[in-house]
Amino acid sequence: MAHSDGNDVARLAARDAAQAARVLNDVRNATLSGQRAPVPPRPVIEASWGRMLRSGVDPDHDVRADPLGRDEIERRRQDSPLRHVLPVLREGLLSVADVAQHIMVVADGDGRVLWREGSSPVLRKADGTGFEPGADWGEGAVGTNGVGTAAVTRRPVQVFASEHFVRALAPWTCTGAPITDPRDGRLIGVVDISGPLETMHPATLAWVDAVAKLAEARLRELHLNSLERLRAVAAPVLAKLGGQALAVDTDGWTAAVTGMPYTGRVALPASLPPGRTLLPALGPCTVEPLPGGWLIRIADVPAPARTTRVVVDVSHPRRWSVTVSGDASSWTHELSARHAELLYLLALHRTGRTAAELAADMFGDPARTVTVRAEMSRVRRYLGAFLEHRPYRFCDAAEVELLPPADPLDLLPHSVAPAVVRARGGGAPGGPGGEPPPDPPGGSRLALPLVPRPGV
């Protein structure tokens, strides 16, 4: 039986949807029963199935969480940055989706469906599976799927037929791509195209991923525009001030400074009331509100005692943070996927890691020091007072605590960094440094028999 690499799942589905469904069903049944599958599941699917088995999701029963009420759906829509890029998503996906009998689904970072549009017949079918506004389509609720799995892996993912963990979803194929906030790298949602298996095309994955990137570019443009508006408001105020001061938006991004070197971003606490406060990167300050941000005036007094406790929390599958606390203050910063990897490694290796060692840990290539130094420069924007370099490490005065997940297999599930894979107990051959070789976009590495139609 011949096998081929690449997008074989998509190509087989395009040639013969029924044959693809049968092969994938055999793979699923064998793998979940602990038997040898006719071909191995794709790594992205196998890893997701492993998470589902460990978390107790029942593959043979369609158990759904109660959907959100109308008021809560509307509240989440208004709070979500995704509302600003709906026109981009609609323009990029809906015209084709409706013709091709697909639907477009936009979910938030928790996997809750906020918007759903597209082919009317497919929308009616989706109602029967609970794929509706307010529904929870996170992995922990409905198993492996284009929304929940893309949110966990932080990569575009296509889930064909019986690659869905829950059997009731086997008639569907979902293609989802994560959308992250360009301001902080935080996952804000997933855009997904779903429909019957026979309507899917091999190019669907690249198409959805490209539209998700267009949405992120639009969010980046909107953020730069908001900083320009804040700069216009803050410039005349700063011109009248003596001493050191800066204007930042509500996320800490700098619009303008006076009397001090420019810094791209200042770490702000989750709650920042006006008045006197202590910011770890700046010391004692006075904070005043501005339209769309804050005016921060740095006090001309000695800095208080240094904050000494740092907690790196990677215990959750999708959200990670660093908390710095001490006698004078406490603040928490939510980490991007890449920064979660870096701080996990530094918390693990208290004596420090050189740039080359971190490059090997993260990429399996000790030569990629430029990338490591660039990322560490970004980390230092909010954690600089507590980091040393040559080698990179937490300062000796900091008491560092690392909070890992209860099960090592759930450590940073999005990550393919060799050091993280080893910590999970992995180390499959094929990738540098012992990591499993990363999938092409969406993880389409399953080798399936390409069975042509009769006469082809």
Side-chain angles (χ1 to χ4, degrees):
M1 181 180 296
H3 297 276
S4 177
D5 291 327
N7 292 314
D8 289 343
V9 176
R11 289 188 300 209
L12 179 57
R15 284 175 174 267
D16 189 334
Q19 170 70 359
R22 286 194 295 271
V23 172
L24 291 171
N25 188 58
D26 290 345
V27 171
R28 177 186 181 278
N29 289 341
T31 302
L32 297 189
S33 63
Q35 300 174 8
R36 184 179 180 86
V39 289
R42 295 184 291 146
V44 67
I45 300 300
E46 186 175 30
S48 177
W49 287 353
R51 291 192 294 271
M52 299 308 93
L53 290 169
R54 294 194 301 276
S55 63
V57 175
D58 190 334
D60 295 313
H61 291 86
D62 184 10
V63 180
R64 305 174 198 163
D66 292 334
L68 301 173
R70 184 174 300 177
D71 290 346
E72 177 62 12
I73 293 172
E74 187 56 33
R75 185 193 69 78
R76 291 196 181 208
R77 286 174 173 174
Q78 292 303 315
D79 289 347
S80 173
L82 294 171
R83 73 186 191 280
H84 299 302
V85 295
L86 276 178
V88 174
L89 299 176
R90 287 173 174 142
E91 182 178 354
L93 296 173
L94 272 184
S95 60
V96 179
D98 195 40
V99 173
Q101 299 182 51
H102 302 154
I103 58 173
M104 179 188 79
V105 172
V106 181
D108 64 16
D110 295 326
R112 289 284 183 171
V113 176
L114 298 186
W115 293 275
R116 191 194 68 162
E117 303 173 32
S119 166
S120 296
V122 181
L123 286 172
R124 288 192 292 271
K125 291 180 181 178
D127 289 339
T129 63
F131 206 13
E132 58 187 340
D136 184 354
W137 276 72
E139 271 198 340
V142 295
T144 307
N145 72 92
V147 173
T149 304
V152 171
T153 63
R154 304 294 183 98
R155 290 187 291 165
V157 173
Q158 200 160 30
V159 183
F160 291 88
S162 290
E163 289 183 325
H164 287 91
F165 187 77
V166 175
R167 189 180 301 277
L169 301 180
W172 289 83
T173 291
C174 307
T175 305
I179 299 176
T180 57
D181 193 326
R183 294 171 298 181
D184 54 15
R186 179 175 56 92
L187 177 75
I188 55 176
V190 173
V191 60
D192 171 271
I193 287 289
S194 290
L197 176 64
E198 60 270 15
T199 65
M200 277 297 163
H201 188 276
T204 304
L205 186 69
W207 166 44
V208 175
D209 187 32
V211 174
K213 286 182 168 57
L214 285 175
E216 291 178 344
R218 176 60 177 156
L219 289 172
R220 191 173 295 108
E221 178 186 354
L222 291 172
H223 182 226
L224 292 175
N225 290 342
S226 70
L227 284 177
E228 285 295 332
R229 290 193 296 271
L230 178 58
R231 187 173 295 116
V233 171
V237 176
L238 291 173
K240 299 175 184 177
L241 297 178
Q244 296 180 314
L246 68 165
V248 301
D249 69 8
T250 53
D251 294 297
W253 288 95
T254 303
V257 304
T258 186
M260 60 183 293
Y262 178 85
T263 181
R265 191 180 185 191
V266 175
L268 300 180
S271 176
L272 183 62
R276 292 185 62 84
T277 189
L278 176 70
L279 298 178
L282 301 174
C285 302
T286 301
V287 178
E288 303 172 29
L290 288 172
W294 299 99
L295 172 66
I296 301 175
R297 303 176 65 175
I298 301 175
D300 187 20
V301 297
R306 188 172 183 174
T307 305
T308 58
R309 191 161 185 265
V310 179
V311 178
V312 178
D313 187 350
V314 292
S315 61
H316 305 288
R318 288 187 296 176
R319 290 193 173 146
W320 320 281
S321 64
V322 59
T323 299
V324 179
S325 59
D327 296 335
S329 66
S330 177
W331 57 272
T332 297
H333 180 80
E334 191 166 320
L335 299 172
S336 68
R338 178 57 54 79
H339 288 186
E341 292 172 335
L342 275 170
L343 292 184
Y344 163 75
L345 291 168
L346 293 183
L348 197 64
H349 300 281
R350 285 305 313 278
T351 56
R353 303 295 275 170
T354 65
E357 287 172 333
L358 283 175
D361 288 340
M362 297 186 65
F363 309 112
D365 181 0
R368 292 187 61 178
T369 56
V370 172
T371 304
V372 166
R373 290 191 178 101
E375 290 296 338
M376 285 302 303
S377 177
R378 296 183 182 100
V379 171
R380 292 177 71 88
R381 291 173 186 170
Y382 56 86
L383 207 60
F386 312 103
L387 291 175
E388 307 287 354
H389 64 289
R390 297 181 182 175
Y392 292 112
R393 65 192 187 281
F394 285 102
C395 66
D396 294 337
E399 176 190 334
V400 180
E401 182 180 1
L402 176 64
L403 300 181
D407 189 328
L409 292 172
D410 293 326
L411 174 67
L412 300 173
H414 69 279
S415 178
V416 294
V420 176
V421 173
R422 287 193 296 272
R424 292 194 205 114
E435 91 225 67
D439 298 331
S444 295
R445 289 186 62 257
L446 172 56
L448 288 179
L450 295 181
V451 180
R453 293 173 177 163
V456 176

